[in-house]
Amino acid sequence: MQFNVEDIHRSNLILKTKPKSLTFGRALYTFEYEQQHYWLKIQTPNVNQYYEAGFLNELAFYQQCIEQQSFADFLLPFQIMPDVNILAEQQVSGRAALIVRHADLLLRDCSGLSIKEIQKILLQLLDAVDQLHQLGWIHADLKREHFVHEQQRVCLIDFEQVQKINSQIALQSLTATPRYMAPELFHGEAKTVQTDIYALGIIIYEWLTGQRLTAKNYQEWAYLHCQRLTVELPKHFLLFKKLLSGMLAKQKEYRFANIYSIKQCLMTEIV
């Protein structure tokens, strides 16, 4: 993609930011250009340090992908527009803007899918995360809406919390979504490949059951993940139980070690 400021000015920008995010200086827009839809993300500096840190972290990740020419299949087409003030008339400005092509959510209702179709989708999902891990990164904030598909590719989006594998950054503030947090994160441990795997397990579990886990607050989420969660699947999906049990083990040393081992289980258990 090679947008310029004039292209953005000519586009009909539609604000999609949640009200709370707007107060933190974040603006997220959609726009259409030559019959293709895009997202535009911008962060006003010096409004909220956590939102700004996440935005700058995502920009740095994309910039490293450019510099290392790591244009893997899990990335949607994107463009960084540096030093822009393209939305001054809307009182939104930032050091840079991030443009990413729109894509549809991957995981929709699976009740009408065959086991083979589900297996195929799961392998594609795992491949996307595996590519990220092979490049030396963990996503660190995986959730269902971060998996999309475009032109028969499964892609990942939203890299605001991405970090290098084995960076050993202790969880000093809440930079993960409690619904998908591995038990050790509630004890302040660092995010790892195993915490990505746990989040994936929750995503797949909710997809197969067609139900979302529920908790009223952070303490209830901690109790659910650290003590109460058990894998209970509909009868026709019981053959995925070993897979999910290995992804959702409460102690990380009992979880799958990497994405490759998950794919091996998926290939050998479901034939």
Side-chain angles (χ1 to χ4, degrees):
M1 296 192 300
Q2 288 298 323
F3 288 106
N4 56 44
V5 174
E6 287 71 28
D7 294 329
I8 304 302
H9 277 303
R10 287 194 297 267
S11 300
N12 179 28
L13 296 175
I14 301 172
L15 183 66
K16 292 292 186 178
T17 318
K18 297 176 182 178
K20 180 181 178 181
S21 297
L22 272 177
T23 65
F24 293 149
R26 175 61 51 82
L28 185 65
Y29 296 86
T30 61
F31 68 94
E32 184 176 349
Y33 185 83
E34 295 183 349
Q35 299 183 317
Q36 177 66 56
H37 289 87
Y38 298 87
W39 292 96
L40 184 148
K41 183 190 288 188
I42 197 165
Q43 175 68 36
T44 303
N46 306 317
V47 176
N48 182 281
Q49 61 176 330
Y50 298 109
Y51 271 64
E52 186 171 4
F55 181 70
L56 294 177
N57 191 50
E58 184 170 32
L59 288 184
F61 169 75
Y62 277 116
Q63 187 61 45
Q64 285 198 40
C65 289
I66 294 172
E67 292 171 359
Q68 298 171 4
Q69 298 184 334
S70 302
F71 296 106
D73 284 345
F74 69 85
L75 289 177
L76 289 169
F78 68 91
Q79 180 182 345
I80 298 172
M81 297 185 70
D83 301 321
V84 296
N85 192 18
I86 57 177
L87 303 174
E89 70 279 6
Q90 300 187 41
Q91 296 183 324
V92 177
S93 61
R95 298 191 187 100
L98 175 64
I99 301 173
V100 180
R101 183 180 293 173
H102 172 80
D104 295 324
L105 288 176
L106 172 67
L107 299 177
R108 301 189 180 275
D109 180 21
C110 67
S111 58
L113 299 179
S114 69
I115 295 298
K116 284 295 184 183
E117 288 172 326
I118 290 174
Q119 182 189 43
K120 180 181 177 180
I121 292 171
L122 291 181
L123 285 172
Q124 292 175 318
L125 177 151
L126 290 167
D127 278 341
V129 179
D130 195 26
Q131 288 180 55
L132 179 66
H133 288 181
Q134 291 298 323
L135 289 175
W137 301 90
I138 56 173
H139 188 281
D141 192 26
L142 288 172
K143 54 185 71 173
R144 184 168 177 166
E145 54 266 37
H146 291 166
F147 288 93
V148 297
H149 65 95
E150 186 227 26
Q151 297 181 354
Q152 299 183 328
R153 294 187 304 131
V154 171
C155 300
L156 285 165
I157 59 172
D158 197 339
F159 297 98
E160 294 205 6
Q161 303 304 327
V162 71
Q163 63 186 56
K164 282 289 190 178
I165 291 175
N166 299 324
S167 59
Q168 295 301 311
I169 302 173
L171 198 66
Q172 297 175 339
S173 60
L174 189 59
T175 57
T177 307
R179 172 180 302 279
Y180 305 100
M181 279 173 58
E184 63 270 18
L185 295 185
F186 290 96
H187 299 288
E189 293 187 25
K191 297 176 182 178
T192 63
V193 167
Q194 276 66 45
T195 57
D196 262 7
I197 287 173
Y198 187 92
L200 274 175
I202 296 295
I203 292 166
I204 295 169
Y205 183 50
E206 289 189 333
W207 184 50
L208 293 178
T209 60
Q211 298 180 349
R212 285 169 63 83
L213 300 175
T214 58
K216 295 179 181 178
N217 52 47
Y218 182 83
Q219 287 73 24
E220 285 196 8
W221 282 118
Y223 176 63
L224 173 67
H225 289 297
C226 297
Q227 298 185 41
R228 191 164 59 86
L229 183 65
T230 56
V231 176
E232 298 177 357
L233 291 168
K235 185 177 180 180
H236 55 289
F237 287 152
L238 282 176
L239 69 172
F240 292 103
K241 185 167 185 176
K242 181 177 179 180
L243 178 86
L244 286 172
S245 296
M247 299 179 75
L248 295 174
K250 292 179 175 57
Q251 296 182 3
K252 62 183 178 182
E253 57 266 31
Y254 296 126
R255 265 175 243 149
F256 287 112
N258 49 49
I259 300 297
Y260 175 79
S261 58
I262 302 174
K263 289 193 286 187
Q264 287 296 107
C265 177
L266 187 57
M267 294 292 288
T268 56
E269 292 295 316
I270 295 134
V271 293

